[in-house]
């Protein structure tokens, strides 16, 4: 039944014989010219420089805080910033980023910095804080970080060059943390509570946690590597036993007919709370840890469980190149029409499994999405439109790229890695680190740099361009956790008698072919064809740019009906008797409500056949999307305000709300560029008294006292070329509040021709602070952030700015206008849940609000994809004909009272310090201008 783990050199499919064969095949040509050692060396150095920039800024501006806020150059301390919901559960006031980065320092050959970091962790970090944290995040980031740091610390000590003073201090801290996590397992099922108080555990009043009933499958099933490693390192079996018990319970509760698991489970009863199943958020690392637990621990039961689940995934969820969620009880029915970015890890897991073909297909599809948007959106639809626009610098795609290159030796994946590097430097790099992308369509930034960016992204990129001799230790002696922490494979034989083997023995009968790929034969895998990987990728090259046809379902394949066209939502007519008959056949009922509305309801069990039931589900999904799209037609996507003057040079991009009047920036490629000036009066609600100052400039105004359209008319009359309205609600931010569009005043607004944008207080104060420091501040208002080659075309600009944006040019040519000035296409419309409801109240007959107060759709923009329900809550605006149900929109409230928290702008780093960082940044760019950053 495939390979066993008795040979500790093996993990996944990355054996030496496989690599030798594949690299030899790749040298004969695989459709892409092999990258020279010099080029790979330059890219390695570039990755090191990028890491130094991110890590150095964290240590300088944020430590000992958990994370860096790269736009305001300060640390994120929980309780001192507006709450971001579940995302903040990763923060425990234990210098999260430093611990998460420990073994990355050694991989990147920063051994002196590693030694210094270990001393800081030992001396400064306190794990006994009265704070509630996520068990899942604390395990993979902090416990995993301590164990990974310990693993490489003893390695360096054995070499006799560094860490000679080290005496297992990190392991002692890991053991302390392990004991602090154990109270979470005090449930009858053995599944842990999702949160624990580091000081008081769970259940006690002072713990403020322990009343939860649900947890995600990944949250409970992603413990075995860290907990087993802790048991093997210390000889204390209780940690591994608890992790095994949790996995046993999840396995027993799987849906027996489909062998799938749901997203959310009740920790007491084992009932599935969310019954959809996929390989993305909420489940992802559960599957990963089953396979890797077999590799690390040598327990065959883990491999058998993984293979059982994998067979179900490939049978129901995989629709190459897509991976679509299904219902665990009716796995032939798709549960949703979009995919989240966390599934980008799955091609890498398939490589470890040995199933290369679908890994190549899915990875190529993801790469095409990235080439369209520069980054992978948090979620995107099956026709590759943006569903959720954020990108928090996730590393999963880089992880899969690394594993695919190791398995195929195809230089194509080196070029993919090079693209990742270029995009990070062009679109995410800021003076104080790398900033998450708030919206991939506009390029606006978010003031966050998560610890996993340092823990994983740079590690995988550095390894991608490294040969064996470039590393100070053999990476094949270690297995990666889900956070890319390193655990030595020799743990498979350490204290192995302490932990009890899994007790479950009931497995689905599988044919032998399911296990063939566990030990792939390279002769079969690549059929002696070095162009094998390219031949799989080629049909997918244009998959994102084309409208995807209806995917042939599993049931269609079985019945041989192929792409039998069902009734499409856009064609449906309620007065057509034939259409009504088709609806009945698909199990869809048409109900006429007393208020005149029509309601569609589907009951799959009333359909004529399972195929018709699937068509009915698809029809309902199309109808929902069609209805949503009709609602969105009156909505506008967010815009961008880009500071282009010294010393920012386009590197700072602010998310801005659009206006329903004035210049349409999506139809103006150049945007509106000019220096900014504050209007007098600042409200802009009466005749402007400083017309001589704002003439030919972009006027800054404060929200309030009058309508947006009135402000626009006043500054336009005074000669302003554009306007920016800044929120008067101190501390408001696009990080914590949904954007909204500025409505007109109910009158004809065709007389307003200048562009108008809205900034929340935090983003607006960045511009105001820059004015106080530099007086002359120039900005660009546009539908999407422009790269610096476009911004400064034909203008004098420092060489390092130009060099950072020349992709493969010698410096004599600039990026072409067609490449740099991309407009948002119809397929990139912003999801409805991210836009503002411009209705003032339910029943208001006016088409737009008559006030400038924002009425936003409720949505937690900071929701952690690994926890809770991923589906956004959508509130549809009321229409006069009563076709849509309504809920009264809520006005955003203050995120925190000033009496409890300091105002954010009181912590903003002085511009002088930011400028000093820029000077260091400039020097780094100038040193590496030949490397074409």
């Amino acid at each position: 039944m495939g390979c066993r783990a008795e040979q500790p050199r093996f993990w996944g499919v990355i054996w030496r014989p496989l690599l030798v064969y594949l690299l030899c095949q790749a040298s004969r040509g695989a459709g892409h010219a092999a990258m020279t050692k010099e080029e790979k060396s330059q890219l390695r150095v570039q990755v090191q420089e990028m890491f130094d920039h991110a890590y150095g800024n964290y240590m300088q501006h944020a430590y000992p805080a958990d994370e860096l806020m790269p736009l305001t150059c300060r640390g994120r301390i929980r309780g001192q910033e507006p709450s971001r919901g579940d995302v903040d559960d990763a923060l425990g006031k234990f210098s999260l980023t430093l611990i998460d980065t420990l073994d990355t320092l050694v991989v990147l050959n920063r051994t002196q910095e590693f030694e210094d970091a270990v001393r800081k962790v030992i001396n400064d970090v306190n794990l006994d804080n009265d704070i509630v944290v996520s068990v899942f995040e604390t395990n993979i980031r902090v416990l995993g970080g301590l164990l990974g740091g310990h693993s490489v610390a003893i390695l360096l000590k054995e070499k006799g060059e560094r860490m000679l003073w080290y005496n297992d201090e990190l392991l002692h801290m890991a053991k302390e943390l392990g004991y602090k996590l154990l109270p979470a397992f005090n449930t009858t099922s053995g599944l842990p509570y999702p949160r624990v108080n580091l000081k008081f555990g769970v259940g006690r009043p002072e713990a403020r946690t322990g009343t939860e009933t649900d947890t995600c499958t990944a949250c409970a099933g992603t413990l075995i590597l860290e907990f087993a490693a802790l048991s093997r390192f210390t000889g204390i079996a209780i940690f591994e036993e608890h992790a095994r018990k949790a996995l046993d319970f999840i396995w027993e509760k799987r849906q027996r007919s489909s062998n799938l698991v749901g997203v959310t489970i009740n920790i007491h009863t084992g009932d599935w709370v969310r019954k959809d199943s996929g390989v993305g958020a909420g489940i992802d690392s559960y599957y990963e840890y089953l396979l890797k637990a077999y590799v690390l621990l040598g327990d065959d039961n883990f491999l058998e469980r993984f293979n059982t689940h994998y067979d179900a995934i490939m049978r129901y969820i995989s629709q190459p190149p897509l991976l679509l969620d299904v219902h665990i009880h009716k796995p032939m029915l798709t549960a949703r029409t979009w995919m989240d970015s966390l599934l980008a890890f799955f091609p890498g897991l398939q490589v470890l499994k040995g199933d290369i073909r679908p890994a190549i297909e899915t990875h190529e599809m993801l790469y095409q999405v990235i080439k369209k948007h520069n980054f992978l959106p948090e979620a995107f639809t099956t026709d590759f439109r943006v569903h959720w626009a954020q990108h928090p610098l996730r590393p999963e795609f880089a992880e899969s790229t690394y594993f695919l290159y190791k398995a195929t030796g195809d230089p194509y994946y080196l070029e993919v890695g090079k693209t990742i590097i270029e995009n990070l430097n062009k679109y995410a790099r800021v003076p104080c680190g790398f900033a998450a992308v708030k919206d991939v369509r506009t390029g606006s930034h978010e003031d966050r740099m998560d610890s996993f960016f340092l823990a994983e992204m740079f590690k995988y990129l550095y390894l991608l361009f490294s040969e064996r001799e470039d590393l100070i230790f053999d990476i094949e002696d270690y297995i990666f956790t889900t956070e890319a922490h390193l655990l030595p494979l020799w743990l498979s034989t350490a204290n192995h008698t302490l932990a009890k083997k899994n007790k479950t023995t009931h497995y689905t009968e599988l044919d032998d072919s399911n296990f063939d790929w566990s030990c792939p034969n390279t002769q079969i895998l690549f059929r002696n064809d070095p162009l094998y990987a390219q031949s799989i990728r080629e049909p997918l090259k244009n998959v994102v740019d084309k409208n995807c046809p209806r995917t042939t379902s599993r049931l269609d394949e079985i019945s041989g009906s192929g792409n039998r066209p069902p009734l499409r939502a856009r064609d449906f007519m309620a007065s057509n008797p034939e259409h009504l008959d088709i609806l009945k056949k698909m199990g869809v009922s048409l109900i006429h409500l007393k208020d005149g509305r029509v309601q569609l309801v589907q009951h799959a069990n009333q359909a004529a056949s399972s195929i018709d039931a699937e068509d009915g589900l698809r029809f309902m999904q199309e109808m929902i999307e069609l209805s949503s799209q009709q609602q969105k037609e009156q909505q506008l996507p967010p815009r961008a305000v880009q500071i282009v003057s010294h010393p920012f040079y386009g590197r700072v991009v602010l998310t801005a709300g659009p206006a329903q009047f004035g210049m349409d920036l999506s139809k103006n490629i150049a945007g509106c560029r000019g220096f900014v000036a504050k209007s007098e009066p600042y409200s802009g609600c009466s005749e402007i008294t400083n017309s001589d100052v704002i003439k030919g400039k972009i006027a800054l105004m404060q929200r309030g006292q009058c309508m947006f359209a009135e402000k626009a008319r006043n500054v336009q009359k005074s000669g302003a070329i554009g306007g920016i309205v800044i929120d008067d609600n101190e501390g408001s931010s696009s990080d914590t509040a949904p954007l909204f569009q500025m409505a007109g005043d109910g009158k004809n607004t065709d007389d307003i021709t200048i562009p108008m944008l809205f900034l929340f207080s935090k983003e607006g104060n960045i511009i105001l602070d820059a004015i106080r420091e530099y007086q002359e501040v120039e900005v660009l208002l546009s539908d999407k952030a422009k790269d610096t080659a476009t911004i400064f075309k034909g203008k004098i600009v420092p060489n390092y700015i130009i060099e950072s944006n020349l992709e493969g040019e010698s410096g004599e040519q600039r990026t072409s206008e067609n490449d740099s000035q991309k407009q948002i296409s119809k397929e990139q419309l912003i999801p409805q849940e991210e836009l503002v409801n411009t209705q003032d109240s339910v029943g208001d007959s006016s088409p737009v609000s008559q006030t400038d107060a924002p009425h936003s759709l409720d949505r937690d923009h900071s929701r952690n994809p690994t926890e809770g329900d991923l589906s956004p809550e959508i509130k549809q605006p009321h229409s006069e004909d009563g076709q849509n149900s309504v809920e009264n929109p809520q006005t955003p409230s203050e995120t925190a009272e000033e009496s409890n928290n300091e105002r954010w702008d009181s912590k903003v780093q002085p511009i002088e310090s930011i400028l000093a960082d820029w000077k260091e940044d400039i020097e780094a760019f100038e040193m590496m201008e030949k490397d074409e950053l």
Side-chain angles (χ1 to χ4, degrees):
M1 191 181 294
C3 291
R4 297 293 186 258
E6 285 80 5
Q7 300 175 354
R9 299 291 299 177
F10 152 74
W11 66 286
V13 299
I14 311 302
W15 308 270
R16 287 182 175 83
L18 174 61
L19 283 177
V20 170
Y21 170 83
L22 292 175
L23 292 176
C24 288
Q25 290 294 318
S27 67
R28 300 174 190 172
H32 290 83
M35 188 175 288
T36 66
K37 285 189 175 183
E38 291 73 18
E39 290 176 299
K40 293 175 68 175
S41 177
Q42 289 177 353
L43 289 168
R44 277 200 314 277
V45 172
Q46 192 171 350
V47 172
Q48 287 177 317
E49 186 277 330
M50 293 166 66
F51 170 81
D52 292 341
H53 176 68
Y55 178 72
N57 274 286
Y58 165 75
M59 295 304 296
Q60 179 180 353
H61 301 300
Y63 181 79
D66 283 316
E67 290 180 342
L68 169 69
M69 300 174 69
L71 297 184
T72 50
C73 301
R74 59 197 172 103
R76 184 181 295 279
I77 301 176
R78 192 168 173 186
Q80 295 185 16
E81 304 294 336
S83 174
R84 300 176 300 168
D86 291 344
V87 174
D88 284 339
D89 287 343
L91 311 180
K93 296 183 179 179
F94 36 36
S95 301
L96 174 64
T97 298
L98 183 62
I99 293 177
D100 218 1
T101 309
L102 287 176
D103 51 9
T104 304
L105 287 163
V106 177
V107 172
L108 270 65
N109 200 17
R110 295 295 190 255
T111 53
Q112 179 58 59
E113 290 83 351
F114 171 74
E115 190 161 358
D116 295 339
V118 172
R119 292 185 186 274
K120 287 183 181 296
V121 170
I122 295 171
N123 296 327
D124 300 344
V125 172
N126 177 25
L127 298 174
D128 194 38
N129 300 314
D130 179 11
I131 191 167
V132 177
V133 297
S134 162
V135 173
F136 168 77
E137 297 289 355
T138 304
N139 172 66
I140 66 171
R141 298 203 209 186
V142 185
L143 182 58
L146 292 170
L147 292 172
H150 172 69
S151 299
V152 293
I154 58 178
L155 168 73
L156 294 177
K157 183 176 181 179
E158 290 174 356
K159 287 180 174 289
E161 299 173 359
R162 290 197 177 275
M163 303 297 294
L164 300 180
W165 54 269
Y166 181 70
N167 192 29
D168 295 348
E169 288 87 350
L170 293 179
L171 180 59
H172 297 321
M173 294 181 69
K175 182 171 71 172
E176 177 189 356
L177 180 60
Y179 279 120
K180 288 183 175 297
L181 295 178
L182 284 184
F185 292 85
N186 188 23
T187 62
T188 55
S189 67
L191 299 180
Y193 284 98
R195 299 172 187 85
V196 67
N197 187 299
L198 291 177
K199 191 176 185 70
F200 298 111
V202 297
R204 299 163 59 182
E206 57 268 35
R208 307 185 303 283
T209 189
T211 59
E212 303 93 338
T213 59
D214 307 335
T215 191
C216 70
T217 300
C219 300
T222 310
L223 300 161
I224 186 64
L225 292 188
E226 292 83 1
F227 272 50
L230 182 58
S231 287
R232 303 298 175 98
F233 271 128
T234 62
I236 303 173
I238 189 172
F239 304 111
E240 184 173 342
E241 289 173 353
H242 277 295
R244 283 179 177 268
K245 184 178 179 182
L247 281 179
D248 290 346
F249 189 81
I250 295 173
W251 170 253
E252 292 296 332
K253 292 299 179 179
R254 75 193 186 283
Q255 212 292 319
R256 297 304 178 99
S257 62
S258 67
N259 281 317
L260 294 173
V261 293
V263 173
T264 310
I265 190 171
N266 186 297
I267 60 176
H268 302 297
T269 66
D271 294 332
W272 292 110
V273 180
R274 276 189 54 190
K275 300 177 183 180
D276 46 319
S277 182
V279 297
I283 302 180
D284 49 1
S285 48
Y286 163 69
Y287 295 132
E288 177 186 2
Y289 270 37
L290 284 178
L291 180 56
K292 290 183 176 179
Y294 161 69
V295 174
L296 182 64
L297 306 177
D299 188 338
D300 293 347
N301 286 327
F302 289 127
L303 178 63
E304 292 169 347
R305 292 182 187 182
F306 172 80
N307 278 324
T308 300
H309 284 313
Y310 188 78
D311 178 76
I313 291 169
M314 300 309 291
R315 186 185 304 272
Y316 304 119
I317 296 171
S318 177
Q319 299 182 30
L322 309 180
L323 292 163
L324 298 178
D325 284 19
V326 300
H327 298 281
I328 59 175
H329 295 93
K330 297 180 180 179
M332 293 294 187
L333 300 181
T334 303
R336 64 188 189 192
T337 59
W338 51 272
M339 296 167 281
D340 64 75
S341 63
L342 287 174
L343 62 76
F345 92 101
F346 197 67
L349 186 64
Q350 288 180 306
V351 170
L352 299 186
K353 160 74 174 171
D355 203 355
I356 304 294
R357 184 184 185 93
I360 293 173
E361 291 174 333
T362 299
H363 180 274
E364 182 62 25
M365 177 271 292
L366 295 171
Y367 186 42
Q368 296 301 319
V369 175
I370 289 173
K371 289 201 290 187
K372 186 179 183 73
H373 301 295
N374 299 320
F375 297 103
L376 198 61
E378 276 291 75
F380 54 94
T381 62
T382 53
D383 56 354
F384 309 108
R385 289 181 291 116
V386 173
H387 187 69
W388 295 342
Q390 305 96 320
H391 174 74
L393 306 181
R394 294 201 184 276
E396 285 78 13
F397 180 75
E399 174 186 0
S400 289
T401 302
Y402 164 68
F403 284 121
L404 272 168
Y405 175 67
K406 296 296 285 185
T408 66
D410 190 339
Y412 175 83
Y413 296 109
L414 297 178
E415 296 298 329
V416 174
K418 184 178 179 181
T419 299
I420 296 173
I421 292 174
E422 291 171 347
N423 288 349
L424 286 172
N425 276 318
K426 286 181 65 175
Y427 304 113
R429 186 166 183 147
V430 294
C432 288
F434 290 84
V437 179
K438 179 71 173 178
D439 192 310
V440 298
R441 293 158 300 193
T442 65
S444 56
H445 291 143
E446 189 175 354
D447 201 5
R448 63 185 286 194
M449 187 179 80
D450 292 84
S451 69
F452 53 68
F453 181 60
L454 287 164
E456 300 183 66
M457 180 69 80
F458 296 116
K459 191 177 293 174
Y460 287 124
L461 289 176
Y462 186 81
L463 290 171
L464 176 64
F465 298 107
S466 297
E467 304 292 344
R468 188 181 303 275
E469 59 269 19
D470 300 320
L471 304 175
I472 63 175
F473 63 96
D474 190 348
I475 197 69
E476 292 184 29
D477 288 337
Y478 296 83
I479 189 169
F480 291 114
T481 68
T482 195
E483 192 78 0
H485 292 308
L486 301 175
L487 298 177
L489 289 174
W490 55 257
L491 288 175
S492 61
T493 58
N495 296 313
H496 62 279
T497 58
L498 291 175
K500 297 179 181 179
K501 293 284 186 177
N502 297 310
K503 297 179 180 179
T504 54
T505 56
H506 302 290
Y507 297 95
T508 300
E509 189 69 26
L510 298 174
D511 59 76
D512 292 339
S513 64
N514 185 264
F515 304 96
D516 289 346
W517 297 111
S518 295
C519 275
N521 182 311
T522 57
Q523 299 289 336
I524 298 175
L525 188 62
F526 291 94
R527 299 179 176 85
N528 293 313
D529 183 3
L531 297 178
Y532 178 73
Q534 182 186 358
S535 68
I536 297 173
R537 289 193 303 266
E538 199 61 36
L540 303 172
K541 287 296 184 183
N542 299 315
V543 66
V544 172
D545 295 326
K546 295 179 179 178
N547 290 325
C548 288
R550 174 175 180 260
T551 304
T552 303
S553 69
R554 299 294 184 185
L555 286 170
D556 287 338
E557 294 172 350
I558 295 171
S559 65
S561 59
N563 284 330
R564 181 176 54 82
L567 175 64
R568 308 305 299 268
R570 63 176 178 264
D571 302 325
F572 171 69
M573 297 179 62
S575 59
N576 188 325
E578 183 180 350
H579 288 183
L580 296 178
D581 289 340
I582 296 176
L583 287 188
K584 184 177 180 180
K585 187 177 180 182
M586 294 190 299
V588 179
S589 303
L590 192 68
I591 302 173
H592 295 274
L593 303 179
K594 293 181 179 180
D595 58 7
R597 289 182 297 156
V598 174
Q599 184 178 9
L600 293 173
V601 179
Q602 190 209 19
H603 299 283
N605 58 356
Q606 296 179 8
S609 68
S610 57
I611 297 176
D612 293 307
E614 184 180 3
D615 288 340
L617 177 63
R618 184 176 292 104
F619 174 84
M620 295 294 289
Q621 291 169 339
E622 287 182 357
M623 187 61 74
I624 292 171
E625 290 179 0
L626 182 62
S627 176
S628 298
Q629 185 62 39
Q630 290 172 347
Q631 295 292 341
K632 286 187 244 183
E633 287 177 354
Q634 300 301 319
Q635 303 287 357
L636 298 171
R639 307 303 189 199
V641 176
Q642 200 165 2
I643 307 179
V644 299
S645 55
H646 171 82
F648 304 98
Y649 296 116
R651 292 282 186 175
V652 174
V653 183
L654 308 174
T655 301
Q660 294 177 341
F661 51 84
M663 179 192 294
D664 185 352
L665 290 171
S666 67
K667 298 178 180 178
N668 189 311
I669 296 178
C672 176
R673 177 172 177 166
F675 289 91
V676 295
K678 291 177 66 175
S679 66
E680 294 180 6
Y682 190 27
S683 67
C685 290
S686 59
E687 184 177 353
I688 304 301
T689 60
N690 64 335
S691 297
D692 56 329
V693 175
I694 70 170
K695 184 176 181 180
K697 296 183 179 179
I698 296 173
L700 300 179
M701 296 158 282
Q702 188 176 48
R703 173 188 161 206
Q705 300 182 30
C706 67
M707 299 177 191
F708 292 121
E710 184 176 348
K711 298 175 189 285
R713 290 189 177 99
N714 287 333
V715 296
Q716 178 177 282
K717 183 179 179 181
S718 297
I721 61 173
I724 298 176
V725 178
I726 299 176
D727 194 8
D728 61 347
N729 181 11
E730 286 292 341
S732 64
S733 167
S734 63
D735 292 344
T736 55
L739 290 182
F740 68 98
Q741 57 188 3
M742 295 183 287
D745 54 5
K747 305 174 185 177
N748 190 315
T749 55
D750 291 344
D751 59 314
I752 302 175
T753 58
I754 63 173
M756 292 287 293
L757 296 180
F758 180 91
L759 290 178
F760 283 108
S761 171
K762 178 178 177 180
E763 287 78 9
N765 279 332
I766 292 177
I767 294 180
L768 297 176
D769 288 342
I771 293 175
R772 284 191 285 268
E773 291 295 329
Y774 299 105
Q775 287 76 51
E776 297 291 324
V777 176
E778 188 179 14
V779 302
L780 173 65
L781 313 184
S782 61
D783 67 325
K784 183 176 182 179
K786 315 295 184 186
D787 62 34
T788 50
T790 302
I791 294 172
F792 297 107
K793 186 168 182 138
K795 297 179 182 290
I796 298 175
V797 64
N799 287 335
Y800 78 94
I801 290 290
I802 298 175
E803 291 294 333
S804 70
N805 286 274
L806 293 179
E807 299 176 299
E809 299 290 341
S810 63
E812 297 178 358
Q813 293 181 330
R814 306 282 175 86
T815 304
S816 70
E817 206 167 309
N818 290 334
D819 291 337
S820 62
Q821 297 177 340
K822 298 178 181 176
Q823 298 186 61
I824 297 178
S825 64
K826 293 180 181 178
E827 289 77 14
Q828 293 172 276
L829 289 174
I830 185 168
Q832 179 172 340
E833 61 269 24
E834 294 187 19
L835 291 172
V836 174
N837 181 356
T838 57
Q839 293 292 102
D840 195 12
S841 63
V842 175
D844 188 351
S845 61
S846 60
V848 294
S849 172
Q850 299 300 312
T851 173
D852 67 356
H855 292 129
S856 61
L857 296 176
D858 291 338
R859 177 176 171 224
D860 180 7
H861 281 259
S862 301
R863 179 175 293 176
N864 185 348
T866 62
E867 295 189 26
D869 188 347
L870 278 169
S871 302
E873 180 183 356
I874 300 178
K875 298 181 180 178
Q876 297 178 329
H878 178 74
S879 60
E880 293 182 9
D881 60 7
Q883 290 182 352
N884 296 314
S885 58
V886 298
E887 291 188 41
N888 192 13
Q890 303 295 317
T891 302
S893 61
E894 294 281 358
T895 55
E897 296 183 6
E898 291 188 10
S899 59
N900 295 328
N901 296 303
E902 301 178 28
R903 285 170 43 186
W904 80 270
D905 51 1
S906 66
K907 302 193 191 83
V908 175
Q909 187 172 354
I911 291 294
E912 294 90 341
S913 178
I914 296 179
L915 182 57
D917 297 329
W918 264 99
K919 290 178 179 178
E920 295 178 5
D921 205 30
I922 290 171
E923 292 173 0
F925 275 113
E926 289 176 342
M927 289 174 61
M928 301 190 63
E929 57 187 7
K930 292 183 179 180
D931 291 344
E932 299 176 340
L933 280 176

